[in-house]
Amino acid sequence: MNSLDSEHLMSELKTHKDYIQTDNISDADLIIINTCSVREKPVQKLFSELGSLNKVKKEGAKIGVCGCTASHLGKDIIKRAPYVDFVLGARNVSKIKDIVDIKGAVEVDLDYDESTYSFASNGHSIYKTSANISIGCDKECTYCIVPFTRGDEVSIPLELLVSQIQKSVESGVVEVMLLGQNVNNYGKRFSDGSTKSSFTHLLKEISKIDGLQRIRFTSPHPLHMDDEFIEEFATNPKICKSIHMPLQSGSTKVLKEMKRGYTKEWFLNRALKIKDLVPDVRISTDIIVGFPTESHEDFLDTMDVIEKVRFDQIFNFKYSPRPNTAALSLESIVSDEEASKRLEEVITLHKIHQEELLHQNIGKTMKVLFEELKPNSEISGFSDNYIQVYVKGSEELLGKILDVKITGATRTVLKGEII
Ligand code: SF4
């Protein structure tokens, strides 16, 4: 979502303020850091990064801080780094053109509603585009700062989404990524009076767009993975067969303390149903180890789910205490050393699964959308189920979806030949 926000910032500045992008920081008239605040480390890095940028920027160049840390720290950023020209929250992206010239501007309104705003056209790829289908989040996961930086959940009207994606397809795009904190909670609240809808309905409508060949989405919430959604995912040929299922913990007790709204059994039931209906599906997940109340038995439940689902990719983290969140007040029973040990165990088990799963693709034929030239006369792209595949080839393959016979695998990518 931050990448898409960055693209929106750039396209708004290009369209309304004539800015162009430079790769050379000392040429820049404007430098923007688009921040994350999900964990503590990026927040700490912000101020050292700002200090370095202030030293290398050309005279008179402006510096802006945008994104979730901007929402969270607001005017304190300028107090701490007075050379920062403006601060723009993650919920206020469309205001960039209005505040870029105002020294000291701070726009971090959490109630600001830009769900019906048509951003200037964005995109670094001519074959793929992304679209926010909702903004904000209504959940209250006890470890998460996002509801305090992105505000309440509002869905983007369906007609606006379809026309925006349609326009991209007319200019050559074949794949769309639908984005939201909880994409499959789509349609519960609109600010333009649209009647309630659902994510499954949205998927059906978007897949009617002629010329659009692939639909991806992230992140769905395991709680909202009802049968109707899973069946649409399994049977709609335009929906790519890779899915992110953020587990966070495999312990029902910890999931309750995290306020995730589902149990270990529900998660396993959903994941195994998807695997059953879509044998080639690729499932990724997020895991937090060392949540303050996580006992050794709770951690073993997480390992049990990993063993049963055999995720293709795991984004794993040690619990990071965040301001404003409910978990901040919990006294931790997990030492940092123990949390590191648990993280290591997750990584080790996952590496075994990852390698086995990847190697199972050797000999199969996959459809690959070619996107990027690589050294040694190679070109890479992604399969329908989101595995990076390398073949020998050159630019005439860019943007094409072709059948590839898989001939080999490294730890993270596949090698193949076009057939
Ligand atoms: S669903 Fe939970 S983890 Fe995801 S953004 Fe919302 S509060 Fe955070």
Side-chain angles (χ1 to χ4, degrees), residues 97-382:
K97 57 186 182 305
D98 308 322
I99 66 144
V100 65
D101 297 324
I102 304 174
K103 175 79 186 158
V106 177
E107 281 291 342
V108 291
D109 182 1
L110 268 193
D111 294 323
Y112 185 63
D113 177 14
E114 55 189 10
S115 65
T116 53
Y117 183 84
S118 281
F119 282 95
S121 76
N122 66 287
H124 60 276
S125 164
I126 48 177
Y127 322 114
K128 304 203 289 194
T129 192
S130 303
N132 276 335
I133 67 164
S134 55
I135 51 180
C137 178
D138 277 351
K139 300 276 185 292
E140 295 174 339
C141 302
T142 56
Y143 54 83
C144 184
I145 194 173
V146 169
F148 305 98
T149 63
R150 288 190 177 264
D152 292 342
E153 189 173 309
V154 184
S155 296
I156 316 274
L158 197 146
E159 296 70 29
L160 187 62
L161 286 169
V162 170
S163 79
Q164 183 190 328
I165 298 165
Q166 180 92 53
K167 246 191 250 160
S168 301
V169 170
E170 281 158 15
S171 66
V173 157
V174 292
E175 179 178 307
V176 65
M177 169 69 92
L178 308 177
L179 294 170
Q181 298 303 144
N182 288 296
V183 278
N184 54 345
N185 198 38
Y186 177 82
K188 300 290 179 294
R189 188 189 305 132
F190 293 97
S191 63
D192 71 341
S194 296
T195 45
K196 283 191 182 184
S197 182
S198 74
F199 185 55
T200 307
H201 178 65
L202 176 75
L203 287 172
K204 286 182 180 164
E205 291 302 307
I206 289 179
S207 59
K208 287 181 191 160
I209 298 175
D210 270 347
L212 181 68
Q213 299 191 45
R214 288 178 157 190
I215 301 169
R216 299 190 188 277
F217 52 83
T218 202
S219 283
H221 195 296
L223 176 66
H224 304 302
M225 292 189 181
D226 56 23
D227 285 345
E228 197 196 1
F229 161 72
I230 291 180
E231 273 146 33
E232 183 67 19
F233 174 76
T235 55
N236 185 328
K238 287 195 178 179
I239 300 178
C240 291
K241 303 307 181 236
S242 72
I243 190 163
H244 189 65
M245 293 186 69
L247 170 66
Q248 310 304 0
S249 169
S251 154
T252 297
K253 185 200 105 202
V254 173
L255 286 169
K256 197 167 175 205
E257 285 153 358
M258 287 177 164
K259 275 205 178 175
R260 290 290 291 168
Y262 52 88
T263 60
K264 175 185 179 184
E265 289 68 32
W266 169 262
F267 186 94
L268 277 172
N269 175 286
R270 300 291 87 186
L272 298 178
K273 177 163 179 152
I274 290 172
K275 284 197 142 194
D276 193 35
L277 292 179
V278 191
D280 280 336
V281 71
R282 194 165 178 272
I283 304 184
S284 56
T285 196
D286 299 325
I287 284 174
I288 297 171
V289 297
F291 187 75
T293 58
E294 184 188 70
S295 67
H296 187 62
E297 287 68 36
D298 295 324
F299 173 65
L300 291 181
D301 273 329
T302 299
M303 293 297 275
D304 185 46
V305 177
I306 297 174
E307 193 59 82
K308 289 193 166 105
V309 178
R310 295 167 65 84
F311 296 101
D312 294 84
Q313 192 170 12
I314 299 182
F315 300 93
N316 37 44
F317 308 100
K318 273 197 287 185
Y319 168 72
S320 174
R322 307 304 297 122
N324 301 328
T325 59
L328 195 65
S329 60
L330 296 172
E331 201 158 319
S332 182
I333 58 165
V334 194
S335 67
D336 190 53
E337 195 189 357
E338 178 59 25
S340 301
K341 210 173 124 239
R342 290 177 190 177
L343 188 65
E344 218 29 68
E345 282 186 48
V346 169
I347 293 170
T348 306
L349 180 60
H350 170 54
K351 268 189 189 159
I352 297 168
H353 293 162
Q354 195 182 29
E355 206 161 321
E356 280 175 13
L357 290 163
L358 210 57
H359 278 77
Q360 282 171 11
N361 293 296
I362 297 173
K364 287 185 183 168
T365 298
M366 293 178 152
K367 289 207 178 301
V368 177
L369 168 58
F370 289 101
E371 298 164 36
E372 205 180 339
L373 293 170
K374 296 286 182 187
N376 306 319
S377 310
E378 287 191 308
I379 184 165
S380 82
F382 284 88

